[in-house]
Amino acid sequence: MARVGFVIAFALSLLVLGALVTFGFTAFIRTVIDHQVALRVGGQSFGWWSRPPVEPIIRIFVYNVTNADEFLNNGTKPILDELGPYVYVQTWEKVNIKENPNGTISYNQKRVYIFNEDLSGGLEDDVVIVPNIPMLSATSQSKHAARFLRLAMASIMDILKIKPFVEVSVGQLLWGYEDPLLKLAKDVVPKEQKLPYEEFGLMYGKNSTSRDTVTVFTGVDNINQYGIIDKYNGRTHQTHWLSEQCNRLNGTDGSIFPPRITKNSTLNVYEKDLCRLLPLTFEKEVTVRGGVKGYRFTPSPDVFASVEKNPNNMCYCPAGPPCAPHGLFNVSLCQYDSPILLSFPHFYMADQSLRTAVEGISPPEKDKHQLFIDVQPEMGTALRARARIQINLAVSQVVDIKQVANFPDIVFPILWFEEGIDTLPDEILDLMKLATTVPPRAKFILTIALFGLGGFLFVVAVICLVRKSHRQSTLHLEGSNYLATASVDQAKKKAKMDNGMSSKSN
């Protein structure tokens, strides 16, 4: 009996354990994953975060203007020849790392770009003709200034022989060349209004350690804040836009996100050159190398929409109507008032009149020009990414400045780039696959095993109890019958003895 009781107790224990596995195993595994994912100095994830074991690649395509003189003199459409890609392999590292007492960590981003000739479609020495961005920025800004200032600017440009188009190498366009207007500004502009650079280049100063100090949440105290920016250069919000919502900085850098992403999640990515959060929404499920499954997130079609099509974008138009055309985003406020408009490459998801205003740009293709990030939803890690952005210059006609008197109002494409990673190292992918596929299988196997074994032992024990109870009942009945038979025999024997005694008396 004691043995059966032990078996029943053991079986019930297995069933209770099975219930705990069914309802608590996932939470336990998530707790373990959260602990491993959070940024703890000395931890494995911290090492991957501070010095990513990947080599991001940036591919740059430059729009070379092939008919600059005809465009200026005859008013013909500019004809562009897309050159490239010019490929740079990068290394990323976070330096000057400092832990803060409020569950955040601060750092500066260091990036090194190395030109890869083998992967490129040209050389850094390739000469291109592109719009003179410093000059055209200055003339566009002077459009509403006093007329005598515009005439003075025209005279200065005449003396310095500054023209609307410049002939430079690709390397100079990207990393910097001496510009006479910037050199002049350095000497005459008040110190508080000076630009923070002495040369002009679309990527000037990026091949170094950034001066920007970024503070992010480690996720140790709250995993739901993992990787989210707390402050950027000490500020929790931008100051450019018209609402608190549009000035928010609480996104990530695009490499990590809080865990347990769903298809209804919105991923916010902050990039300084964009001056805002870029919201990404779920598009589809994907599978990357190694069989790791992920979710693809992309910008919604209305992210750069005109205010007529998306009134929520009005907060990004502080100067008031007219605002940026559909598919363009005006970043002039955070680019020293230079009339830079960003779009997706080949004006993807933009008004196609922008593309047809020039010749030489093929129609956009989703596979080639869409920005996306593939993330592992349970861990929040980027598996693959393509940040694709086109840089455009909004040029305004200014009749008082003869150098640009024939330059029409136009959005002039300068270049576009594709930056990202193709895959993570096998070590990380294997770990992700292990962390995301083994626990569900282990849960299933444990649940079946515990419920199966517990149920089997319980049933066996109950059967044993029933059989034992039945045997005892049978023995009791047999015992009762034996006593009854013995009593009858005793009575018969006594009656017989009595009859014998009576016979002798007679």
Side-chain angles (χ1 to χ4, degrees), residues 432-453:
M432 282 187 181
K433 192 172 183 180
L434 185 70
T436 56
T437 60
V438 172
R441 293 176 183 174
K443 176 183 175 181
F444 176 78
I445 294 172
L446 281 174
T447 302
I448 296 298
L450 291 171
F451 277 122
L453 181 59

Side-chain angles (χ1 to χ4, degrees), residues 186-453:
K186 179 183 176 182
D187 297 329
V188 300
V189 172
K191 183 178 180 180
E192 61 275 9
Q193 298 180 9
K194 288 183 182 294
L195 297 175
Y197 47 80
E198 299 179 359
E199 296 183 334
F200 174 77
L202 291 172
M203 297 180 66
Y204 181 80
K206 291 184 180 294
N207 199 356
S208 62
T209 299
S210 173
R211 298 178 182 177
D212 299 314
T213 300
V214 186
T215 302
V216 301
F217 289 99
T218 62
V220 173
D221 298 333
N222 183 356
I223 198 63
N224 293 323
Q225 292 183 309
Y226 169 67
I228 292 177
I229 295 173
D230 176 40
K231 294 180 181 178
Y232 201 94
N233 289 328
R235 298 195 308 267
T236 59
H237 287 73
Q238 282 279 17
T239 58
H240 306 302
W241 315 121
L242 298 178
S243 71
E244 186 274 342
Q245 181 75 7
C246 291
N247 278 317
R248 290 184 304 120
L249 298 174
N250 58 334
T252 75
D253 65 356
S255 64
I256 56 175
F257 300 92
R260 293 182 289 284
I261 295 167
T262 70
K263 295 178 181 180
N264 295 322
S265 300
T266 297
L267 307 185
N268 289 304
V269 177
Y270 180 75
E271 170 57 43
K272 177 188 176 182
D273 293 335
L274 194 60
C275 306
R276 59 166 284 186
L277 291 177
L278 183 67
L280 307 177
T281 56
F282 173 81
E283 182 186 64
K284 63 180 180 180
E285 295 184 11
V286 296
T287 301
V288 302
R289 184 170 60 85
V292 178
K293 296 185 181 298
Y295 291 168
R296 174 162 295 182
F297 283 79
T298 62
S300 61
D302 64 353
V303 66
F304 292 159
S306 62
V307 295
E308 291 78 17
K309 296 184 178 181
N310 183 6
N312 292 331
N313 282 343
M314 186 64 204
C315 67
Y316 296 115
C317 186
C323 301
H326 182 70
L328 297 176
F329 186 71
N330 189 343
V331 294
S332 59
L333 284 180
C334 53
Q335 296 295 334
Y336 311 104
D337 288 329
S338 181
I340 298 294
L341 300 177
L342 300 183
S343 70
F344 298 116
H346 287 217
F347 297 109
Y348 175 66
M349 293 200 301
D351 192 324
Q352 292 308 300
S353 63
L354 297 167
R355 180 177 59 83
T356 57
V358 299
E359 292 186 11
I361 298 182
S362 61
E365 299 178 42
K366 180 179 178 179
D367 291 342
K368 293 182 179 179
H369 304 128
Q370 181 191 49
L371 183 152
F372 69 83
I373 297 177
D374 296 340
V375 297
Q376 202 294 314
E378 191 64 28
M379 302 181 71
T381 302
L383 301 170
R384 181 171 54 196
R386 287 289 186 279
R388 293 160 168 161
I389 293 292
Q390 180 169 293
I391 299 174
N392 312 282
L393 183 69
V395 182
S396 297
Q397 186 180 45
V398 184
V399 294
D400 293 322
I401 301 178
K402 63 180 182 178
Q403 289 86 351
V404 294
N406 295 328
F407 214 120
D409 290 349
I410 187 174
V411 175
F412 219 107
I414 307 298
L415 62 77
W416 70 274
F417 65 85
E418 173 187 82
E419 183 177 21
I421 57 173
D422 292 319
T423 185
L424 297 176
D426 290 339
E427 176 188 5
I428 299 179
L429 289 176
D430 291 342
L431 186 61
M432 282 187 181
K433 192 172 183 180
L434 185 70
T436 56
T437 60
V438 172
R441 293 176 183 174
K443 176 183 175 181
F444 176 78
I445 294 172
L446 281 174
T447 302
I448 296 298
L450 291 171
F451 277 122
L453 181 59

